[in-house]
Amino acid sequence: MSKVHIARQGLITKSAIPSLSRTFTGTVNVNSSLLLLGSGANGGTTFTDSSVNNFTVTRNGSVITSTAQFPTGMSSSIYIPATNSTNLSVPNNSVFNYTNQDFCQEMYIYWISGGEQLFRKGDFNLVWYGTATTNPFNLVLFASSSGSSWNIFSGQTIFTGIPRSQWVHLALTREGSSFRGFVNGTLTNTLTNAGTIATNTSALTLGNFVGASPGEYYISNFRITLGAPVYTASFTPPALPLPNFVSYTGTTTVTNNTYGVYQNY
């Protein structure tokens, strides 16, 4: 099969191609939009985006890098204590406009206690939310196309059976109208909606927002990839550290050149 070559070596950056929408079929390498590995010294307060975007990451509250818990392949992680408004934030950027694109959000997490919001980008966009303090527990999904109500999903369960106090790989993916939740590579739920996720100018946050039962957990290798679902069926969780791109075989439509793609010969 003939393959279109866009960048012979490495990954193209946002300055390398014009802003346009392109569709590719075959084996495609898609740059990650955001990658927070959680690398750092015990008690560290500096956090780095290891994606090609190198976004500024702001520490809110007492988030630290910790060597107390880390998954195989790493030597530290991000520790989020059970305190409201304790999170990492990344400024708004058009690269986080999910709209109707395929995408994958994934991370390794060691969840100790609590629930509440784990990921959000402002109000009425896309939110992961812990539902209970039980063990195991579930995560539900909220999403909006209107920007004023949760009219795509309003608390539907997307992840089930998440164990506490052990490292777990979570992946939320979208492929067309199918939203899938994977726990340690096992598909736990599929939700269906073809809606276009609303955009806003809010920062992206990872960690506790405001709620009655803020969570305490460690996070490693939080990665967002837009342009490919990455996982479409049950899989073996990836080894760490994650690279700042994913290799995906299928049809991929790229609509924002900030993350770029290339196809191999």
Side-chain angles (χ1 to χ4, degrees):
M1 179 179 64
S2 175
K3 296 184 179 180
V4 177
H5 179 65
I6 298 178
R8 189 176 186 89
Q9 294 182 349
L11 301 177
I12 55 176
T13 63
K14 60 185 177 181
S15 61
I17 58 173
S19 180
L20 43 77
S21 177
R22 297 289 299 274
T23 298
F24 306 95
T25 300
T27 300
V28 182
N29 287 348
V30 183
N31 284 354
S32 299
S33 303
L34 181 69
L35 177 58
L36 305 179
L37 296 174
S39 300
N42 195 47
T45 58
T46 300
F47 300 87
T48 301
D49 171 22
S50 297
S51 78
V52 295
N53 295 310
N54 191 29
F55 288 126
T56 298
V57 182
T58 299
R59 170 182 182 253
N60 302 300
S62 50
V63 183
I64 59 170
T65 52
S66 172
T67 59
Q69 292 290 346
F70 50 86
T72 301
M74 302 298 294
S75 58
S76 63
S77 64
I78 301 164
Y79 173 64
I80 309 246
T83 306
N84 280 327
S85 302
T86 301
N87 55 58
L88 298 179
S89 64
V90 178
N92 175 61
N93 190 284
S94 61
V95 74
F96 301 126
N97 290 345
Y98 291 88
T99 60
N100 60 355
Q101 297 182 76
D102 292 349
F103 68 81
C104 176
Q105 296 177 337
E106 62 185 305
M107 73 180 81
Y108 279 83
I109 189 164
Y110 187 102
W111 203 309
I112 300 170
S113 64
E116 302 298 340
Q117 295 179 29
L118 172 61
F119 169 87
R120 67 180 279 130
K121 189 182 182 298
D123 292 326
F124 303 113
N125 179 267
L126 184 69
V127 174
W128 296 26
Y129 197 95
T131 58
T133 58
T134 58
N135 184 17
F137 68 105
N138 301 334
L139 281 172
V140 300
L141 187 63
F142 290 81
S144 172
S145 64
S146 67
S148 58
S149 66
W150 297 114
N151 62 327
I152 295 180
F153 300 119
S154 182
Q156 280 86 349
T157 299
I158 189 67
F159 300 102
T160 59
I162 303 170
R164 294 187 185 272
S165 298
Q166 61 181 273
W167 283 105
V168 178
H169 181 263
L170 300 179
L172 168 67
T173 73
R174 179 178 189 174
E175 182 187 26
S177 61
S178 296
F179 292 74
R180 300 183 178 100
F182 298 89
V183 177
N184 281 334
T186 298
L187 177 64
T188 63
N189 283 290
T190 300
L191 303 176
T192 302
N193 195 297
T196 296
I197 297 173
T199 61
N200 59 37
T201 58
S202 300
L204 179 154
T205 60
L206 179 66
N208 291 314
F209 190 62
V210 176
S213 181
E216 179 186 10
Y217 40 79
Y218 297 86
I219 291 174
S220 180
N221 287 255
F222 175 74
R223 183 170 70 177
I224 298 176
T225 304
L226 276 80
V230 185
Y231 313 112
T232 57
S234 294
F235 60 94
T236 299
L240 300 180
L242 294 177
N244 62 3
F245 68 95
V246 297
S247 183
Y248 175 71
T249 300
T251 298
T252 303
T253 299
V254 176
T255 59
N256 187 317
N257 68 17
T258 304
Y259 43 86
V261 302
Y262 72 82
Q263 286 185 286
N264 298 325
Y265 281 123

